[in-house]
Amino acid sequence: MVDVEPVEKEIQLLDANERRLDGRALDELRPIKIEAGVLRRADGSAHVEWGGNRVLAAVYGPREAHPRHLQDPARALVQCRYNMAPFSVSDRKRPGPDRRSVEISKVTSEAFSAVVFTEQFPRTSVDVFIEVLQADAGTRCAGITAAAVALADAGIPMRDLVTACASGKIAGKVALDLNKEEDNFGDADDRAADWGDRPLADGRPPHRRRVRPSDEALDRRHQADLRDAEGGAPPAVLHRGVR
Amino acid sequence: MDSSAARRELVIPGDVIETHGLKPGEGTYVEGGKVFASLLGIRSEHGGYVDVIPLTGRYIPRADDDVVGQVVDLGPSHWLVDINSPYPAPLHATESPWRVEFGETSHFMDVGDSLLARVISVDETKRVQITMRDQGLRRLTGGQIVEISYSKVPRVIGKSGSMISMIKSYTKTQAFVGQNGRIWVDGDPKDVIHAVRAVHMIDENAQAAGLTDAVEDYLAGAYGRKEG
Amino acid sequence: MSAEVISELMREHIVKLVASGKRADGRVPEEIRPLKIRKNYIGTAEGSARVNLGNTDVLVGVKISTGEPYPDTPRSGVLTTSCELVPLASPTFESGPPSPTAIELARVVDRGIRETKTVDMEKLVITPGEKVWVVFIDIHALDYDGNLFDAASYGTLAALSCAKMPGRMTGGADKPLPVDHWPVSITAAKIRNTIVFDAALDEERIADARLTVAIDENGDVRAMQKGLSGSFSYDEVRYVISTARRLGNELRRTIQA
């Protein structure tokens, strides 16, 4: 981190017209392509290409929860596992979980536990496996989006499709869906998972509207972050890192 | 079914469902006075309710379902039967067609054996009871079992059993369609292959129009004739 | 790995079917499922291939960087093969450290590549004893429908064949990884007294014995691995090798394409 410090000042992340390095406006997403039902063995699956990210998600369940002592007699457990393939990043990642992936798995599980009608399947688990095949900043958000589609594809009853998007500050401005350079050299980043028309934990009563990851949701995410920046109520922040 | 065919509408979780005065049914939930889809499926109106018929999903047992099960464990007076659902079903010796002495369950059925059974009851916590004490319910010998998505089972059965009857009559096979997405087929091996292909066709193209004709074309082609 | 109870009825069905020279998916015993290979599938890898062998789906990524050679082989690059059988690919795969199955798979693939001298390890030396190219092969199972051994092996060969040694690490241009030989892995499964090739999942689950043969472009055997608790007779081994030689030539063209 220390050796990138001098570089930071050299890279101009926004031009005079508030266009970003890849030509996007501040509230513009990278191209997204979602395909459901891509795996045979899984009960549900999805592949998401989001900018340079490629993420697969598979859902197994509801199935008997193992080990048995984990079973909840009143509801299903939603267990997510986020994993990065060793070749998904520029420097090979050692296989297996690290602290980062364990944390992402935990918050992802929590995000989905809130929307799945878990009480319909007591004593079971709904297992969600997210595999990052190619990473380009925003993998957990692409993973959550893939997982939502895989859950729907598996026929899991839930309130809504959870979508997620990262936002951050570059050159002092709030921007959506940071790419790798912006993630590395920007001022701050955070991620939120939304469903319906509200961030997960902002305490407002649910107020419903269909959202598409491409426009409305993120437009609103953008406002939420501006509100955040202006000292309003914080949005549902899954993770916040400030460099 | 016919009246709703005109309004076959695909919905995803969170979509608002217009009820047109009907009651919210399965695959929906109500929040803030509005009805939403909780499943990926087809909006359907039936008997005063608006439901979402799931396109995919695991089989969740209900009373009176006929199922194809498989013994996965046994005790001195019961078998534990996998019925392709998240909930394995105990079959008590008293619910079997045999007089089973305590500790002699394995003499009648062992781990790996397949059987036809019926769901007697499912309680609040999804504890399931099944029975083999009815006509046609038995331990299976011979034949093979095809697994398909349980949501496609109605298509395999067809209107008043028309689809499965057609398959059976072309292929001269015996077949038992479990509500749990398992289908048992027995007969001459080359006929069983055609019957299984037909079932797979239905599983893969369940939403396609003209499915019955496509399956009949396949069977007619395989047997070089068309049934009257 | 959690085992699924195999239905006796299905076991008998498959045994009867293969004994009569047929298979559940309509293949003949010596038939390999359709093989589709997409090279350079992953942009963050130096080489990669996604392999579909029937419904079995495997992604192999090759990462190449520079590092020190092992002290006992100063004039040789470093190559390691790892495999993750992630739970995404099958209800029987569990998360956690690599299972014995995953380790065996990685080692069998590695042996096929290494013993054929597929990658000329001497050409990976930058400064003898100090700096060499280090090649990591990572096998990532995505959908398990039988015969991961061969799918992983084809993916590894395909990924190596399109891999580049990144010039940014040595201040030069990217150079293709030197791939000189093309070992093709063929796995036979023995079900009671019948041998089938490229077993699908249902066949693999009831197989008594498994034999994997890596055949080079001259038709010579470079590596072999017999698995499971059953056995092969001498004549059966000869049969497997001769069939593998025939099948291997066709598959090699698909992998090279």
Side-chain angles (χ1 to χ4, degrees):
Chain A
M1 279 297 129
V2 177
D3 59 343
V4 303
E5 214 50 54
V7 186
E8 192 176 350
K9 294 184 181 68
E10 303 298 322
I11 289 192
Q12 190 168 358
L13 294 168
L14 275 184
D15 71 9
N17 301 318
E18 293 201 336
R19 287 278 155 188
R20 295 151 71 176
L21 282 175
D22 51 14
R24 285 186 289 153
L26 284 168
D27 61 352
E28 193 178 342
L29 295 185
R30 293 172 288 177
I32 299 176
K33 191 177 146 197
I34 303 175
E35 204 180 336
V38 293
L39 300 175
R40 293 274 294 219
R41 288 289 277 166
D43 294 315
S45 59
H47 183 256
V48 168
E49 284 183 55
W50 183 328
N53 291 304
R54 275 191 191 192
V55 179
L56 258 182
V59 170
Y60 287 89
R63 58 183 179 182
E64 217 178 352
H66 285 292
R68 202 161 281 200
H69 69 84
L70 284 181
Q71 291 185 1
D72 184 330
R75 61 186 63 79
L77 307 167
V78 179
Q79 307 185 109
C80 300
R81 178 184 184 264
Y82 166 99
N83 185 46
M84 291 187 106
F87 45 77
S88 64
V89 281
S90 52
D91 290 334
R92 177 180 182 265
K93 186 201 163 290
R94 267 190 53 190
D98 51 22
R99 290 167 64 85
R100 176 181 170 277
S101 64
V102 169
E103 183 200 0
I104 294 174
S105 300
K106 177 176 182 285
V107 292
T108 306
S109 302
E110 288 161 359
F112 284 110
S113 299
V115 292
V116 171
F117 287 107
T118 53
E119 65 281 6
Q120 292 184 18
F121 309 105
R123 295 185 286 120
T124 66
S125 70
V126 174
D127 299 315
V128 183
F129 302 112
I130 297 166
E131 292 291 329
V132 178
L133 307 180
Q134 184 178 298
D136 183 32
T139 58
R140 80 192 68 189
C141 298
I144 286 171
T145 305
V149 177
L151 281 162
D153 183 46
I156 305 292
M158 50 189 177
R159 289 173 202 283
D160 211 323
L161 294 180
V162 174
T163 59
C165 182
S167 60
K169 263 185 170 180
I170 51 174
K173 302 270 185 186
V174 173
L176 285 183
D177 186 26
L178 304 189
N179 66 23
K180 213 164 154 192
E181 290 78 18
E182 294 166 341
D183 197 23
N184 288 344
F185 302 114
D187 309 327
D189 65 285
D190 77 355
R191 289 95 180 165
D194 300 273
W195 57 276
D197 188 38
R198 57 168 177 157
L200 271 177
D202 72 352
R204 281 188 294 146
H207 147 61
R208 325 247 359 156
R209 184 159 54 106
R210 286 285 339 127
V211 289
R212 302 287 166 201
S214 48
D215 40 75
E216 293 173 50
L218 297 152
D219 192 23
R220 203 199 40 65
R221 270 295 307 148
H222 183 43
Q223 289 163 14
D225 281 291
L226 290 170
R227 204 177 64 233
D228 184 25
E230 289 158 14
V237 176
L238 287 182
H239 171 83
R240 183 172 184 92
V242 179
R243 288 191 182 88
Chain B
M1 277 289 163
D2 285 333
S3 64
S4 69
R7 277 214 301 267
R8 274 170 68 88
E9 184 195 336
L10 185 73
V11 294
I12 58 174
D15 275 349
V16 174
I17 304 262
E18 296 301 336
T19 53
H20 304 293
L22 301 172
K23 283 179 246 169
E26 294 184 23
T28 71
Y29 69 99
V30 182
E31 208 169 84
K34 275 187 169 178
V35 180
F36 301 94
S38 65
L39 289 171
L40 167 70
I42 307 283
R43 181 191 183 283
S44 153
E45 297 174 3
H46 192 74
Y49 285 89
V50 55
D51 303 310
V52 175
I53 313 278
L55 289 177
T56 55
R58 295 295 307 271
Y59 167 69
I60 303 299
R62 302 176 200 222
D64 297 329
D65 281 354
D66 287 336
V67 293
V68 176
Q70 188 190 316
V71 179
V72 289
D73 200 358
L74 42 80
S77 61
H78 80 281
W79 298 267
L80 195 63
V81 180
D82 167 59
I83 52 170
N84 202 26
S85 94
Y87 305 101
L91 171 71
H92 290 283
T94 52
E95 292 293 345
S96 79
W98 314 289
R99 270 184 74 95
V100 182
E101 298 293 330
F102 187 83
E104 293 192 342
T105 41
S106 67
H107 298 192
F108 297 88
M109 284 197 297
D110 213 336
V111 171
D113 280 349
S114 299
L115 59 137
L116 307 182
R118 181 166 303 142
V119 177
I120 312 175
S121 66
V122 184
D123 75 8
E124 289 281 289
T125 63
K126 303 284 178 191
R127 292 195 195 279
V128 185
Q129 302 272 3
I130 59 171
T131 184
M132 289 174 76
R133 288 179 65 101
D134 206 342
Q135 210 171 11
L137 303 179
R138 63 186 190 278
R139 174 175 171 264
L140 291 170
T141 52
Q144 85 166 98
I145 292 166
V146 197
E147 271 188 25
I148 62 165
S149 162
Y150 104 96
S151 60
K152 315 280 171 63
V153 167
R155 299 304 312 263
V156 173
I157 295 171
K159 228 171 252 172
S160 331
S162 58
M163 185 74 92
I164 191 67
S165 303
M166 179 175 81
I167 295 172
K168 288 203 281 195
S169 105
Y170 266 104
T171 59
K172 306 274 182 283
T173 51
Q174 286 191 72
F176 180 98
V177 183
Q179 291 296 328
N180 59 340
R182 285 198 187 131
I183 297 155
W184 173 76
V185 187
D186 194 17
D188 189 280
K190 68 177 196 310
D191 295 324
V192 170
I193 287 175
H194 290 307
V196 168
R197 285 271 158 79
V199 169
H200 281 307
M201 270 180 82
I202 301 167
D203 188 30
E204 281 155 25
N205 306 295
Q207 303 311 317
L211 182 63
T212 312
D213 291 342
V215 173
E216 175 145 35
D217 284 350
Y218 165 74
L219 292 169
Y223 287 92
R225 68 193 152 82
K226 196 123 179 156
E227 293 274 307
Chain C
M1 185 176 299
S2 76
E4 287 171 303
V5 174
I6 295 153
S7 150
E8 280 307 314
L9 199 139
M10 288 310 287
R11 183 194 298 271
E12 283 314 307
H13 169 72
I14 294 166
V15 166
K16 258 194 244 164
L17 209 57
V18 296
S20 66
K22 296 195 182 75
R23 301 171 76 172
D25 52 15
R27 283 185 289 161
V28 296
E30 297 178 0
E31 193 174 339
I32 308 292
R33 291 171 291 179
L35 174 64
K36 184 174 139 196
I37 296 180
R38 283 169 281 179
K39 289 187 188 179
N40 289 314
Y41 188 80
I42 292 297
T44 44
E46 274 66 52
S48 61
R50 182 149 177 195
V51 172
N52 298 87
L53 181 60
N55 290 323
T56 288
D57 193 343
V58 176
L59 182 55
V60 179
V62 172
K63 292 294 297 176
I64 304 178
S65 56
T66 55
E68 282 178 28
Y70 289 115
D72 54 338
T73 52
R75 295 182 173 277
S76 170
V78 175
L79 182 141
T80 55
T81 309
S82 316
C83 172
E84 275 191 274
L85 298 181
V86 290
L88 164 122
S90 165
T92 58
F93 295 168
E94 286 168 0
S95 28
S99 64
T101 311
I103 291 170
E104 184 191 16
L105 197 155
R107 289 180 60 86
V108 168
V109 170
D110 187 275
R111 215 170 286 136
I113 298 295
R114 198 177 296 275
E115 302 311 329
T116 317
K117 301 192 170 29
T118 298
V119 179
D120 188 338
M121 302 296 278
E122 286 176 16
K123 289 189 190 153
L124 301 186
V125 177
I126 301 165
T127 312
E130 282 177 27
K131 197 175 181 188
V132 297
W133 290 107
V134 179
V135 179
F136 284 104
I137 299 166
D138 282 289
I139 297 161
H140 219 67
L142 302 180
D143 211 351
Y144 171 45
D145 191 35
N147 197 11
L148 279 173
F149 280 70
D150 291 348
S153 176
Y154 306 151
T156 300
L157 190 54
L160 287 172
S161 73
C162 64
K164 303 257 186 312
M165 298 186 285
R168 65 185 149 81
M169 294 196 165
T170 51
D174 286 359
K175 271 193 266 174
L177 190 71
V179 170
D180 299 333
H181 297 285
W182 299 82
V184 172
S185 162
I186 303 279
T187 298
K190 187 173 169 184
I191 299 169
R192 301 268 168 94
N193 292 310
T194 313
I195 290 171
V196 297
F197 288 81
D198 178 32
L201 181 61
D202 283 345
E203 296 168 334
E204 191 166 283
R205 289 200 304 180
I206 65 163
D208 302 295
R210 186 190 66 220
L211 186 60
T212 301
V213 186
I215 303 273
D216 70 12
E217 55 273 27
N218 302 320
D220 293 335
V221 174
R222 290 299 190 136
M224 277 172 93
Q225 178 96 337
K226 189 243 134 194
L228 307 179
S229 53
S231 61
F232 286 91
S233 71
Y234 174 67
D235 284 342
E236 284 169 340
V237 173
R238 286 173 57 116
Y239 162 70
V240 170
I241 292 171
S242 66
T243 309
R245 289 176 68 166
R246 184 167 58 75
L247 295 171
N249 283 330
E250 211 174 303
L251 288 164
R252 186 173 297 107
R253 280 193 289 274
T254 309
I255 300 166
Q256 284 174 327

